[in-house]
Amino acid sequence: MSLDMPMTEIETWYSVSQFYTREARHLDDLEFDKWIGCMEKDVRYWMPIVSNRIGRDIGTELTRLGELAHFEDDFESLSNRVKRLATGRAWAETPPGRTNHMVSNVELLGEKDGLTKARSQFLIYRSHLETDQEIFSGTRIDRLRPDPDTGWKIAERTIILDHAVLTQKSLGIFF
Amino acid sequence: MLDTQSSHFSHLVDLTKGELNRSIFSDPAIYERELKQIFARCWLFLGHVTQLPNENDFFTAYMGEDPVIVTRHSDGKIGAFLNMCRHRGNRVCRADSGNQRTFTCPFHGWTFGNTGELKVVPGYKQVYHEELDMEAHGLIPVARIDDYKGMIFATFDKNAPSLDEYLGDMAWYLDMAVDRRDNGIEFLPGVHKWRIKCNWKFPVDNFIGDSYHGPVSHGSAWESGFEGMPRRKKGYGYEGFQVNAGNGHGFGARWAENEEQVYEMVLPEFLGYEKERFPETHARLGDLRGMHLSPMHCSIFPNFSMLWQSGNMRVWHPRGVSNTEGWSWCFVDKKASQEHRDLVRIHDLQRHGTSGTWEQDDVDNWVQSTMSSRGYVGRQVKQNLSMGVNHEIDDPKSIHPDFRGRIAGFQNEINQRNLYAQWGRMMDGESPVVPGANA
């Protein structure tokens, strides 16, 4: 592929998929500094809350921006979350949990203002301490900016967790 | 297992030594009795009136393990009912919130109005031969429902004292959260809900009076950019009081000598708002509540807790003897600007609730304290609540004439001792309001 030629859609798809695999590996291998390196400095990392609705309220299950969310972070607060893990006294992760981030169903949803929109599904298994087992399942919708070092950087990530009442003891991991 | 029929639960709590029998965290028979004696008799927090702005709005909640629907009727009144069809017990409402005039059971189609009455039974003529007593088969209402300045509580006990009596002096202190400004507070849409494998009393204990665990449990969050309020200031900032308001309710607060110190305890991003609201709060609540006390943590018996400065309220729903479901809301003053609302919301959710950098470090403590109460040998060892047991402040009014209830220094387990004393009284069948019964 010539460098001055735009990527074909399949090349972009492959590149985004590889980026997600690498990002997941950073999380599973506890390489949080490298994971933070996948984020743009103006990133918005947001996980709204899902609830059960019926009838004409179907379609309004997610809280909106400005309402309560599970995560509403920027680069600084995400970096602080990572910094906390490195103190050795972040007890939820001391000793650290063992996670397996599985990312699939990567789908490109178009490009706007130099950002590529991508949707993916995740299934994360987490084992902690003796017998604690947690499964997190959901959807991510990202806006990605091409980056010469990491392939892509995440400018915006919306995470939709499938759980209305979390059976996991906390959201102490990243998605 | 203990004999749960005899009246001896108060004896599991030794107030003079500050010791507690650990089986109260692990014995299934005790848990069963809690559902009856505590959760079916106390006033329980359901939510805030701002969650029901319109006619026919509703949300679902729990009272103990009993699911309820809380509705605003067409006459504006708020009611609550067991979310249980009178036919087979199915839930008549499977949504967490919405707007409906009626609730139709998905099993056989019995339909109830949002005031509880049974309106439609399919085949009423053909298969019930018009013999079913429709009036007697409405949704089961709570015995009493009331609100304190917008905070909705209900009880299943028709003999319960009034909400005002039940809250007692705690209502007066609650004004520091719900009545700081004109028009009070509102809840932001969205509830964090999550399960913790702990006995429900551990988080209540933690929130009512455990100012001791902060530096160890939450040190990592504090020093990584998730500082809390009021900030610690050497010299005076570490000072403050645990206040026991009676009936098992209590809170902890730092102490500011003057207005200047109020501002010094606030995080920089909140300073502008504090300066804006201080004159109004001070005028409404006076010196003690409007200036000296900067409240931090609280629990209202049995399972409501609050983090005042973070704009966070929650309940701890029991889910079996070693399982708890936390529900956490974010509240703001109604008069707060959009800018301040954004700051409070982000402050709250980055520290408390599901992804909270403070909250997540509490969880395994509560889980492991619960697990240790299950081993036979461990259960024989008393839980220690002795901190400052002989060091309560004899005359709170010597500190400030407006003080109500009993007080002790900021690091003192007075509130935990009184929480379990109330637990023992309720388990023994006494009224939740016992004048002068505080330890």
Side-chain angles (χ1 to χ4, degrees):
Chain A
M1 181 182 73
S2 161
L3 285 177
D4 52 6
M5 289 281 284
M7 282 195 281
T8 64
E9 186 166 337
I10 197 162
E11 284 167 343
T12 308
W13 177 84
Y14 179 76
S15 167
V16 168
S17 299
Q18 286 296 94
F19 170 70
Y20 282 157
T21 303
R22 210 160 46 241
E23 187 204 353
R25 171 162 53 79
H26 291 325
L27 290 172
D28 292 340
D29 291 353
L30 310 181
E31 297 171 339
F32 297 112
D33 288 335
K34 287 185 182 161
W35 179 73
I36 274 288
C38 298
M39 300 290 158
E40 284 284 15
K41 292 286 187 293
D42 61 350
V43 65
R44 188 189 77 197
Y45 185 91
W46 182 57
M47 185 194 285
I49 301 170
V50 69
S51 65
N52 295 294
R53 300 294 172 100
I54 51 175
R56 61 177 178 273
D57 291 333
I58 296 278
T60 64
E61 288 87 355
L62 298 176
T63 54
R64 295 171 296 191
L65 276 170
E67 300 176 347
L68 192 59
H70 289 302
F71 280 93
E72 185 175 351
D73 280 57
D74 57 15
F75 188 81
E76 188 189 357
S77 64
L78 277 182
S79 304
N80 287 343
R81 287 180 188 267
V82 165
K83 214 187 294 174
R84 193 183 79 85
L85 292 173
T87 62
R89 289 176 295 119
W91 306 112
E93 285 290 328
T94 308
R98 296 162 290 271
T99 62
N100 231 313
H101 284 68
M102 274 151 312
V103 181
S104 73
N105 302 33
V106 177
E107 195 178 356
L108 301 182
L109 300 174
E111 194 189 321
K112 199 181 165 194
D113 305 326
L115 296 175
T116 294
K117 188 173 176 183
R119 175 184 161 134
S120 56
Q121 308 300 126
F122 62 83
L123 198 61
I124 304 167
Y125 174 84
R126 178 174 184 262
S127 172
H128 192 225
L129 297 175
E130 292 171 314
T131 56
D132 284 354
Q133 298 185 71
E134 297 171 340
I135 291 175
F136 303 81
S137 129
T139 303
R140 303 187 310 198
I141 297 168
D142 291 345
R143 286 180 197 279
L144 305 168
R145 186 170 287 137
D147 183 85
D149 299 326
T150 57
W152 301 89
K153 283 201 175 182
I154 299 164
E156 195 180 299
R157 169 162 288 176
T158 298
I159 307 146
I160 299 162
L161 204 58
D162 292 330
H163 317 265
V165 178
L166 274 61
T167 51
Q168 304 85 356
K169 52 189 175 182
S170 65
L171 298 177
I173 61 166
F174 298 110
F175 297 85
Chain B
M1 272 193 209
L2 290 154
D3 171 11
T4 55
Q5 298 310 309
S6 63
S7 169
H8 62 201
F9 289 89
S10 293
H11 300 305
L12 302 178
V13 186
D14 184 334
L15 291 171
T16 53
K17 285 191 192 160
E19 286 184 350
L20 191 60
N21 186 315
R22 273 206 167 93
S23 55
I24 74 167
F25 301 113
S26 59
D27 187 332
I30 291 184
Y31 175 75
E32 281 305 311
R33 194 176 169 95
E34 286 175 340
L35 292 183
K36 176 186 170 192
Q37 296 290 60
I38 293 175
F39 290 97
R41 293 207 299 135
C42 286
W43 283 91
L44 304 172
F45 182 70
L46 297 180
H48 195 265
V49 292
T50 53
Q51 294 173 276
L52 302 170
N54 303 310
E55 199 178 296
N56 302 319
D57 280 351
F58 73 91
F59 60 80
T60 49
Y62 284 91
M63 295 172 68
E65 294 222 48
D66 287 308
V68 295
I69 312 171
V70 187
T71 68
R72 188 186 285 281
H73 312 149
S74 48
D75 62 4
K77 282 195 184 133
I78 290 173
F81 308 89
L82 266 191
N83 187 0
M84 184 185 85
C85 182
R86 293 297 304 280
H87 179 218
R88 284 291 190 278
N90 196 31
R91 290 198 189 189
V92 299
C93 178
R94 295 179 176 179
D96 299 327
S97 63
N99 182 286
Q100 283 179 207
R101 218 177 277 278
T102 57
F103 298 97
T104 299
C105 178
F107 202 164
H108 302 91
W110 287 27
T111 297
F112 302 85
N114 64 5
T115 48
E117 79 280 12
L118 178 57
K119 285 173 170 270
V120 177
V121 172
Y124 177 70
K125 278 186 190 163
Q126 301 90 326
V127 295
Y128 279 103
H129 312 289
E130 299 185 354
E131 290 164 1
L132 179 73
D133 184 349
M134 299 277 284
E135 270 183 36
H137 286 84
L139 296 176
I140 302 291
V142 297
R144 303 175 75 174
I145 185 164
D146 200 356
D147 76 283
Y148 181 74
K149 299 190 179 177
M151 295 177 68
I152 308 166
F153 291 82
T155 174
F156 276 116
D157 181 8
K158 63 181 190 313
N159 299 314
S162 71
L163 178 62
D164 285 348
E165 289 174 276
Y166 181 86
L167 292 174
D169 287 335
M170 194 65 211
W172 187 73
Y173 286 118
L174 260 184
D175 289 348
M176 293 187 286
V178 301
D179 201 15
R180 300 199 304 178
R181 308 196 71 177
D182 276 340
N183 306 322
I185 59 163
E186 66 183 76
F187 275 20
L188 298 184
V191 195
H192 288 170
K193 301 179 179 179
W194 74 108
R195 291 275 176 102
I196 308 165
K197 292 184 184 119
C198 71
N199 183 268
W200 66 273
K201 295 186 287 297
F202 279 111
V204 178
D205 170 319
N206 196 92
F207 276 72
I208 200 170
D210 196 334
S211 50
Y212 187 45
H213 79 296
V216 177
S217 287
H218 304 305
S220 67
W222 194 279
E223 68 194 47
S224 305
F226 301 103
E227 197 181 343
M229 290 186 298
R231 306 175 99 173
R232 288 197 192 94
K233 289 282 175 188
K234 282 198 176 115
Y236 61 85
Y238 201 69
E239 300 295 319
F241 300 97
Q242 292 297 325
V243 179
N244 189 261
N247 301 345
H249 319 313
F251 69 98
R254 296 206 184 278
W255 181 265
E257 278 302 328
N258 50 45
E259 187 178 342
E260 197 52 38
Q261 290 187 357
V262 172
Y263 302 141
E264 286 189 38
M265 286 196 245
V266 169
L267 292 177
E269 60 266 36
F270 290 113
L271 185 59
Y273 184 73
E274 283 294 295
K275 288 189 167 173
E276 173 196 323
R277 64 125 198 119
F278 179 86
E280 185 178 343
T281 305
H282 190 234
R284 295 172 80 84
L285 303 179
D287 278 348
L288 180 66
R289 295 182 300 161
M291 180 177 72
H292 292 313
L293 294 177
S294 280
M296 293 178 73
H297 57 81
C298 121
S299 288
I300 293 178
F301 193 88
N303 65 336
F304 170 90
S305 296
M306 172 162 59
L307 295 161
W308 313 66
Q309 308 286 17
S310 296
N312 183 287
M313 295 189 186
R314 69 263 305 284
V315 291
W316 308 104
H317 295 301
R319 289 288 179 272
V321 67
S322 47
N323 215 332
T324 298
E325 189 171 304
W327 284 27
S328 172
W329 297 271
C330 181
F331 71 93
V332 292
D333 291 329
K334 265 192 184 165
K335 280 173 85 170
S337 63
Q338 189 57 49
E339 187 193 359
H340 183 67
R341 286 160 184 259
D342 292 343
L343 287 169
V344 171
R345 181 183 73 250
I346 288 166
H347 173 96
D348 176 37
L349 73 90
Q350 290 182 356
R351 287 160 184 76
H352 312 298
T354 46
S355 82
T357 50
W358 291 52
E359 190 95 38
Q360 49 184 278
D361 286 340
D362 285 321
V363 169
D364 285 312
N365 294 338
W366 303 336
V367 171
Q368 285 163 22
S369 296
T370 300
M371 283 170 68
S372 72
S373 310
R374 290 168 61 180
Y376 176 79
V377 175
R379 209 161 61 209
Q380 313 307 311
V381 181
K382 295 284 188 280
Q383 182 99 327
N384 188 303
L385 309 166
S386 70
M387 187 194 291
V389 73
N390 296 316
H391 298 273
E392 295 177 13
I393 292 165
D394 289 337
D395 181 13
K397 292 190 187 297
S398 68
I399 308 285
H400 195 281
D402 292 345
F403 258 125
R404 300 182 183 185
R406 304 174 64 91
I407 67 171
F410 191 62
Q411 302 290 356
N412 189 304
E413 288 171 342
I414 180 178
N415 275 326
Q416 287 97 324
R417 287 189 289 274
N418 282 286
L419 164 71
Y420 294 108
Q422 180 77 359
W423 177 89
R425 283 195 294 271
M426 292 300 292
M427 288 291 276
D428 285 339
E430 292 176 35
S431 163
V433 176
V434 187
N438 279 336

